[in-house]
Amino acid sequence: SSLAPSSFSFSLPKYSQFLFIVCFSVFIVTCLRFNRLFLDKITYVKDNTTNERDVMFGDLFDQTRLLHMSALLVFVLLVALSFWLHRVYLTARRFLQFWEIRNFYHHALGISTSQMRNVTMGRDSGEAGTTAQKDH
C-alpha cells in the first residue's frame, strides 16, 4: 500500500447543498403562507369594494416573518450552523494534514508530486533512512 496521500477532495457541493437546504427550509417554514397555498382566488378590498383575483406566487410569501422567527427555529438554525462550522473545521484540518504530508514527502524525502502516486511503503522507509543518513 502507498503512504502517499490520496488526492484531497474538498466537497464544496456537499457543504453548499447542506447550507442551501437549511436556508431554503427555514425560508419555507417561516415565510410561506400555508393558508393561501391551495386557494384559487384571493379576496381583497380596494376603494371600498371587495374584489377577487387569482393567487400569484408573490402572494404566498411574507418575507417580514423572518424578523419574527420562533425560539425553536432559531435554536434549530444554531444547531445546523454549528454542525456546518464543525464540518468546515474538520475539512480544513484534513486539508492542512494533507498539506503537511505532501510537504514532508517533497522536502524531506525529495519525492516530486508526480511521483507520489507510485511510492510504496517499503520505498518510503528506505528513502527516509537514506535521506536521514545523508543529512547526518
Side-chain angles (χ1 to χ4, degrees), residues 21-127:
I21 288 171
V22 169
C23 291
F24 185 71
S25 299
V26 166
F27 180 76
I28 292 296
V29 167
T30 304
C31 299
L32 185 65
R33 295 177 181 169
F34 289 99
N35 57 346
R36 293 185 180 181
L37 189 58
F38 297 107
L39 293 178
D40 290 330
K41 303 276 184 192
I42 290 181
T43 305
Y44 66 98
V45 177
K46 183 178 181 180
D47 299 329
N48 293 329
T49 58
T50 303
N51 299 312
E52 279 190 351
R53 66 175 172 83
D54 290 336
V55 176
M56 296 177 4
F57 191 71
D59 296 328
L60 299 176
F61 295 100
D62 182 11
Q63 292 85 358
T64 60
R65 291 183 183 184
L66 282 175
L67 300 173
H68 308 289
M69 288 190 292
S70 69
L72 178 62
L73 191 56
V74 171
F75 175 73
V76 168
L77 276 177
L78 289 175
V79 168
L81 178 66
S82 65
F83 172 76
W84 188 78
L85 289 174
H86 178 70
R87 295 298 301 169
V88 168
Y89 166 75
L90 290 177
T91 300
R93 195 175 93 197
R94 189 177 319 131
F95 176 75
L96 290 176
Q97 289 172 344
F98 164 76
W99 195 257
E100 282 182 31
I101 292 170
R102 183 187 168 281
N103 284 336
F104 172 76
Y105 274 70
H106 183 67
H107 295 294
L109 300 179
I111 300 172
S112 68
T113 306
S114 62
Q115 294 173 332
M116 280 192 200
R117 292 180 189 238
N118 300 326
V119 175
T120 62
M121 186 174 172
R123 182 174 170 205
D124 286 347
S125 301
E127 286 187 18

